[in-house]
Amino acid sequence: MLHSIRISGGEAVFCSRFVRTYKYGLERESGSPVILNVFSAFNGGLLSSLSRCVLASGRALAGEFDPRRGIGVANTSVALFAGKLFALGESDLPYSVKLTPDGDIITLGRHVSFGEPYMTMTAHPKIAADSGEAFAFRHSITHPFLTYFRIKPDGIKQPEVPIHSLKQASLVHDFAVTENYAVFSDSQIAIKPAEILRGKAPIGVDPKKVPRLGIIRRYAVDESEMWWVEAPGFNMIHAVNAWEEDGGDTVVMVAPNILGVENVLERLDLIQTSMERIEINVKTKKMNRKSVCSGNLDFAVINSAYVGKKNRYVYAAIGDPMPKTVGVVKIDLSLSTTVNSGDCTVARHLFPPGCYGGEPFFVPKAAAAEEDDGYLVSYVHDENRNESKFIVMDAKSPNLEIVASVKLPQRVPYGFHGIFVPQCELERLYDN
């Protein structure tokens, strides 16, 4: 379900609508689940898992549903590129959605031009603010396990670059881009479909595997120049940003590292993270890492004008555990260049007891002169009063002070990723 709030002229219009995916329509009509969920369908032992697989396969063969039309729920993130607004989930292709002038949300349909039947696309494309290009990937349970591609501003997908050097499927959920490179993570979170035959989930943690980071040219036509560097103990789900320094000889990436990765799928309450600065020398192929902030931080955002460029400020949610958050921190990366930088937090805002939020999002002021000149926005739910609010925080203030809030008529559940769309962009969407 998408939740939108449109604020204009001192008034707010709130709307909640299900993304009308193929899976949503199919299961709404049948009144029960039809398409398997990879995180829940394989619990309960071998017999139960195989029974669900056989039932789902039988339904597909009988023509009750067509998996070529997509199996995802488009519930992970929202992105604006190629002149369209998309709801995305990495188990499917994006769904195009539209906000009407009166604030309603309409699903336009699955965007099949970004792939072919059975294909998927990341929920975290990177949008270059200066060119409007979108950089994306898809991962698969079959070889090639990772495929990189880009989409031009007019929506035309460019030829794909299969990454054959990734030898087994792993959960590649996010990545980063710089001016000249794209950076991928090969973590210990492995995808092994054969585990179903042992009565286990196909996604698990491989403690013997050494995580790696892969570097490929941003405009590569093949993977001939791609290389990997080992990153022991570094397990990344989300990337914050990446850029180049030293005349392009060093790639710098900022990302939260999951500590206790063995708990990532079943015991989120035990997970902690370390926000890290990773420096990779593209000539020597060596890497240095340092923590810039500890604590259970994720759902980190930046001023989107700095995607792929050197940025100073990061805003991250404090998990309790994720996706529930108890507050937001502001990190100053300029402090991370010193030898003993330690904790680079420069501002913190905690919600009142019993109140939890989701991912923040940075909204720059119209005439912003500095990177942090803007606001942080988020949904917050008060579990004591069963009330939800949309809050606006001053991103430059020492305590990320709340400067405005809107009480909502219904609850907004704790979710994943959101986006801010300026009115001028909305008007272009109205015309399409």
Side-chain angles (χ1 to χ4, degrees), residues 2 19-23 68-98 106-127 134-139 149-151 155 157 160:
L2 283 183
V19 182
R20 294 184 174 273
T21 63
Y22 173 66
K23 175 180 170 69
R68 294 174 298 179
R69 297 179 61 184
I71 62 172
V73 293
N75 72 335
T76 304
S77 70
V78 186
L80 177 65
F81 61 95
K84 297 182 182 297
L85 187 63
F86 294 103
L88 306 101
E90 63 189 328
S91 59
D92 205 338
L93 293 174
Y95 274 78
S96 177
V97 298
K98 182 177 180 179
I106 298 174
T107 302
L108 300 179
R110 188 168 180 254
H111 206 74
V112 296
S113 66
F114 291 163
E116 298 175 0
Y118 303 110
M119 282 188 173
T120 64
M121 177 175 149
T122 176
H124 290 290
K126 304 303 175 187
I127 319 301
F135 298 86
F137 67 91
R138 63 177 113 260
H139 64 83
F149 59 94
R150 63 187 176 94
I151 300 166
K157 183 175 74 69
E160 300 185 351

Side-chain angles (χ1 to χ4, degrees), residues 156-182:
I156 304 300
K157 183 175 74 69
Q158 300 305 288
E160 300 185 351
V161 180
I163 309 301
H164 298 287
S165 54
L166 188 66
K167 299 302 183 182
Q168 75 175 98
S170 64
L171 183 61
V172 186
H173 179 70
D174 198 359
F175 75 130
V177 295
T178 71
E179 181 180 358
N180 294 293
Y181 301 100

Side-chain angles (χ1 to χ4, degrees), residues 227-241:
W227 50 277
W228 297 83
V229 58
E230 290 190 348
F234 182 71
N235 287 285
M236 179 187 89
I237 295 292
H238 293 120
V240 179
N241 196 28

